[in-house]
Every structure is written in C-alpha cells, then in structure tokens.
Amino acid sequence: MALHTAERPSVAAWQSPEVYAYTLGWSPSVPEGTEFAKIAERALRETVAAVRDQLDHPDEVTIRVHEGHPVQVLMDAARTAQLLVLGSHGHGTFTGVLLGSVSQHCVQHAPCPVVVIPQPRPA
C-alpha cells in the first residue's frame, strides 16, 4: 500500500464470519461480503467525522476498508506508516482486558511506533 507523504489513512478491516454447524435443517442467514464492507466503511466514516474537527489537517485523512484479519490489514498498513494508532481493545471475548489481541500483536510486531488509545471512561 503506497501512501502519499501527506496522506493519513484511517483503516478498517472486515471478515466474513465463519459459520459452523447446520442443525435440524436450519442454516443461518449470512450477508454477502459487500454488506460487511459497507458496514465497516460506514462505521469508519462516522468515527472519522466525529473527530474531524480535532484534526490539524482533516482533508488529509483517507478512508480505507480492507477484507482480512485486522492484524494482517494493520501490519500491511504499518509497513509504510510513520505511526500506527489503535484503540485499546475491540469486541473480543475478554472485554475487561486492558489490551486486545490485535493491539497486543501490533505493539509487539509493527515496523513503526504504535500508540494505543484507551477507551474513554464513562462519567
């Protein structure tokens, strides 16, 4: 992923969920991949819009949505990055942990400095 020096990509990753057993003739309804991509892009655009007024150069932020495991997508983006900024944890099984598995992997393996931003505490 070649980036213009002034470009500041905001990246989201998505994967189709794995569907395991089908029992008693029931099969789950799984949206097409394009639906997951649209949901991820909409969430990313809303997130960027929520903080756009706090950015020094909001016009330099680009939106990038990629299919794949978040670790791989972020590691690919980090190859040409000067800094990787992540949230402290996502939506994994252990919601009480301080650092999620994706953030942990990025902190340990990214080729650039990594900043992990904790979630705001409720008032």
Side-chain angles (χ1 to χ4, degrees):
M1 175 185 317
L3 300 176
H4 183 272
T5 55
E7 188 176 27
R8 295 191 171 113
S10 182
V11 179
W14 67 272
Q15 283 183 296
S16 295
E18 293 185 30
V19 178
Y20 294 98
Y22 299 102
T23 58
L24 304 174
W26 177 80
S27 63
S29 172
V30 178
E32 294 293 320
T34 55
E35 188 65 27
F36 286 110
K38 288 176 186 176
I39 292 167
E41 182 176 354
R42 182 174 51 245
L44 184 57
R45 287 191 183 282
E46 289 172 0
T47 301
V48 170
V51 298
R52 189 170 290 277
D53 62 335
Q54 300 171 36
L55 302 173
D56 292 336
H57 303 283
D59 54 321
E60 295 175 0
V61 176
T62 58
I63 302 294
R64 297 186 187 260
V65 177
H66 298 280
E67 180 179 8
H69 190 278
V71 166
Q72 188 59 53
V73 170
L74 291 168
M75 288 292 98
D76 290 346
R79 270 194 236 131
T80 56
Q82 293 178 343
L83 180 68
L84 182 61
V85 180
L86 306 168
S88 60
H89 61 86
H91 306 288
T93 306
F94 304 105
T95 56
V97 297
L98 296 176
L99 200 60
S101 60
V102 172
S103 298
Q104 182 71 40
H105 185 90
C106 292
V107 165
Q108 293 175 340
H109 302 286
C112 63
V114 178
V115 174
V116 181
I117 306 296
Q119 288 188 341
R121 294 180 186 221

